[in-house]
Amino acid sequence: MAEHQIVKPEKLVATAVGMLEQELVVPNLFQKQGIDQYKGADDDTISVPVEGVLPFHDYGWRNDRSQPIVFDEYKERKIATKFGGNVYSAVKLTDEQNDFDLTQWGKLLRPQVKAVARGLSRRAVNALTGQVYPVVIGGAEANLRGALTEARRVLNKFNVPDGSRYLLVGSDFESALLNDDNLNLAQFVGDNEAESALTTATIGNRRGFRIVVSQEIPADAAYAFATSAFIFLSGAPSVPQSVPYGATTSFESIALRWVRDYDPLYMQDRSVVNTYAGFRAVTDVLVGWDETAQSEIVSIGEHFVRGIKLTLGGASAYPPASGELAKITGISDAAPWPRTAAAGLTTQARTRRP
C-alpha cells in the first residue's frame, strides 16, 4: 500500500497555479485583471466610467477680438462590462485508487490543471477570433514581409503601443513564415530550451512583433495586436467552510482554487480545480488631426483599433474612406493592401489616444 505524504493544500494549489500559468499561450498574450470590482455587481455587470476627451483650440495671437473663444461640452462615457465563466476540472477517486494507484495528490493536479488551461485557452481564442477587426490584410502569402510591414504601419497609425505587440499565427501561416527566406525565421526555432508553452510557441521577432504560433486559431490566419487589446479577467472562488481541505492562490494575476472532500456513500475522494474567468476586447475614443481644417477631430463613437487580422489568401478589408475611423486615422479603403505608389504612402491625418 502506498504511503501518503501529508502536504498542506496551500502548497499544492500554489504549485498548481504555477503550472497553469506555464500551460497558457493565448490568454497570456492578454492584459490580466482581477475580479474584485465585480463582486456584488448587479447581473455581474459594472459600468466603467471613461474619461471624456476634449479637443484643443488656438486663439489668434494679438487678434482683433471680434470672435469669442469656442466652448466644448464635456461628457464622460460609461462602458458596461460583464463578467462570467467558471472553468473547472472535477475528478473522483475510489479508495482503491487512492491507496494503490495514486502516490501523491500533486500527480492528479497536473492533468486537472491542463484541462482548466485548455478551457481558458478556448475562451481566449473565441474572444480573439470573434472580434470584428477594422483592418484585414489579405493575400499576405504573396509578400509576407510586406504584409508584416503593412500591419506595423496600420497599428502605428492607430497609435497602438509598440512595446508589447504580438503576431499570433495559425499553423499554415507559421509554415509560410518559416519558409520565407526574406524573414529568416527558421534558424531560431528550437534554439532555446522551452520554459513554458508560450516560450515554445514563440518563433521569433520581426517588424516589432513577437511571433507566436497557435494550433487553435484558423490555420491560414494571423492576428496582430497589443497586449492591451484584450483583457483576461481571473479570480479564485472562495473555499466553502464545509470543505475540510482546500485553498486558493494567484500567480501572475491568474487565480485558482482547489478543494477536496470525501463522499462516504460511495467511498471516494472528490477533487475540483476551478477558476472564474472572463474575456473582453478594449475599445477607444480617438483623437486625430485634420490637416485641411487645421483642427483636432474627436471620435463620436468608440473603436476597436488595438488589433488587426491577416490572412494568407483572400481580399483585404479597410475602413470606408467616408467613415469616422478613416477620417481620424488616415487608414481607409482608398489605399488598401497591397498598396502602390499611386495609392499614396502618406496620409493627411494623425491619430492619438487620450
Side-chain angles (χ1 to χ4, degrees):
M1 183 178 297
E3 294 184 3
H4 295 280
Q5 184 179 7
I6 298 176
V7 181
K8 291 183 177 180
E10 291 81 6
K11 183 176 180 180
L12 283 174
V13 77
T15 302
V17 76
M19 288 190 294
L20 176 61
E21 195 275 339
Q22 293 287 304
E23 290 289 330
L24 299 177
V25 176
V26 180
N28 268 332
L29 306 182
F30 295 174
Q31 181 178 320
K32 300 169 188 171
Q33 285 185 0
I35 65 167
D36 288 343
Q37 59 183 326
Y38 289 85
K39 293 180 179 179
D42 184 32
D43 196 27
D44 302 319
T45 301
I46 61 172
S47 293
V48 180
V50 178
E51 186 180 61
V53 179
L54 293 172
F56 77 86
H57 302 277
D58 274 326
Y59 197 56
W61 180 252
R62 294 186 183 275
N63 69 68
D64 59 8
R65 297 316 195 258
S66 61
Q67 298 295 325
I69 62 174
V70 176
F71 286 86
D72 299 298
E73 181 182 355
Y74 179 77
K75 182 185 295 185
E76 288 191 341
R77 302 170 186 266
K78 289 187 177 180
I79 303 176
T81 60
K82 188 177 181 65
F83 176 83
N86 191 342
V87 182
Y88 73 93
S89 170
V91 178
K92 292 180 179 180
L93 288 175
T94 66
D95 284 346
E96 293 85 352
Q97 288 177 302
N98 195 26
D99 287 333
F100 293 97
D101 301 333
L102 190 67
T103 57
Q104 55 182 348
W105 277 96
K107 183 178 180 181
L108 175 63
L109 279 177
R110 185 165 186 83
Q112 287 194 272
V113 165
K114 285 189 174 183
V116 171
R118 290 194 303 273
L120 293 175
S121 294
R122 175 48 53 191
R123 295 197 64 187
V125 167
N126 289 344
L128 181 78
T129 58
Q131 178 62 35
V132 177
Y133 291 88
V135 169
V136 177
I137 299 174
E141 191 168 21
N143 183 0
L144 285 167
R145 187 168 62 171
L148 296 189
T149 301
E150 173 68 357
R152 178 182 175 88
R153 182 188 79 92
V154 171
L155 293 185
N156 285 344
K157 285 292 184 180
F158 285 164
N159 198 35
V160 176
D162 58 4
S164 56
R165 292 181 183 177
Y166 290 96
L167 182 69
L168 186 69
V169 302
S171 55
D172 291 349
F173 210 110
E174 177 199 26
S175 296
L177 290 172
L178 294 177
N179 288 324
D180 192 318
D181 293 335
N182 291 325
L183 292 172
N184 197 26
L185 282 166
Q187 63 172 320
F188 298 104
V189 177
D191 283 354
N192 298 322
E193 181 180 354
E195 297 178 355
S196 67
L198 180 56
T199 303
T200 302
T202 300
I203 62 175
N205 296 275
R206 289 293 183 274
R207 299 294 191 272
F209 297 106
R210 181 179 178 183
I211 304 175
V212 179
V213 63
S214 170
Q215 305 298 325
E216 298 170 299
I217 67 173
D220 64 343
Y223 299 87
F225 58 94
T227 296
S228 59
F230 298 92
I231 291 179
F232 168 25
L233 298 166
S234 177
S238 59
V239 177
Q241 294 182 355
S242 59
V243 175
Y245 196 86
T248 64
T249 192
S250 63
F251 176 72
E252 297 291 337
S253 297
I254 300 174
L256 197 69
R257 178 183 72 172
W258 178 45
V259 293
R260 173 191 167 193
D261 70 352
Y262 186 73
D263 183 356
L265 294 179
Y266 294 92
M267 296 186 181
Q268 57 189 5
D269 265 301
R270 295 177 294 195
S271 173
V272 179
V273 174
N274 69 319
T275 181
Y276 292 146
F279 298 89
R280 64 181 175 91
V282 175
T283 57
D284 293 286
V285 174
L286 302 178
V287 178
W289 178 253
D290 188 335
E291 292 283 3
T292 303
Q294 286 293 296
S295 63
E296 278 195 324
I297 313 170
V298 179
S299 67
I300 298 174
E302 297 171 14
H303 301 273
F304 177 80
V305 293
R306 302 191 185 209
I308 62 174
K309 183 179 179 180
L310 300 87
T311 56
L312 289 177
S316 297
Y318 281 63
S322 59
E324 181 181 63
L325 183 58
K327 291 179 179 179
I328 292 179
T329 66
I331 299 295
S332 76
D333 55 9
W337 163 262
R339 296 183 306 148
T340 63
L345 298 180
T346 60
T347 60
Q348 295 299 311
R350 298 188 299 273
T351 181
R352 66 178 175 85
R353 185 173 297 106

